[in-house]
Amino acid sequence: MPTISMFYGIIVRMLFIDTHQHHLPYIHVEYQGMKAVVGIPGGELIEGNLPGKKLPLVQAWISIHEEELMANWSLAANGEPIFPIEPLR
């Protein structure tokens, strides 16, 4: 599962050809052993858990990079390589 960004100890990944598990675009997020699935573009927590202050950071990052994330989702859904996205600064 390729890493597309890392910021503030948060690792963001996206799977290839994984459009059926949650039936909507999403990313996998890890922070200190905690894992979550977060929807894009809305930033809703679909599965898992993140500390209270980390989810808003992920949601802000999603909002800033919505177009890039959706472009990556389209590539990944077609089994094509995805590109890294700038971290939250």
Side-chain angles (χ1 to χ4, degrees):
M1 179 171 10
T3 299
I4 58 173
S5 195
M6 294 189 305
F7 51 91
Y8 303 113
I10 299 166
I11 301 169
V12 182
R13 295 187 169 110
M14 187 178 285
L15 288 174
F16 287 98
I17 312 174
D18 192 22
T19 58
H20 302 292
Q21 183 178 1
H22 297 287
H23 307 288
L24 57 105
Y26 62 92
I27 54 175
H28 292 264
V29 180
E30 294 180 32
Y31 177 76
Q32 294 186 349
M34 300 178 84
K35 296 181 180 183
V37 175
V38 181
I40 52 175
E44 67 277 5
L45 184 64
I46 297 172
E47 182 180 298
N49 214 349
L50 287 175
K53 293 183 179 182
K54 297 302 176 180
L55 183 58
L57 291 175
V58 171
Q59 292 167 329
W61 179 80
I62 288 171
S63 179
I64 293 166
H65 297 286
E66 180 179 324
E67 289 181 23
E68 295 163 280
L69 285 162
M70 294 308 292
N72 260 354
W73 182 260
S74 293
L75 291 170
N78 290 316
E80 298 176 35
I82 57 178
F83 53 89
I85 298 175
E86 287 292 316
L88 189 63
R89 297 176 193 235

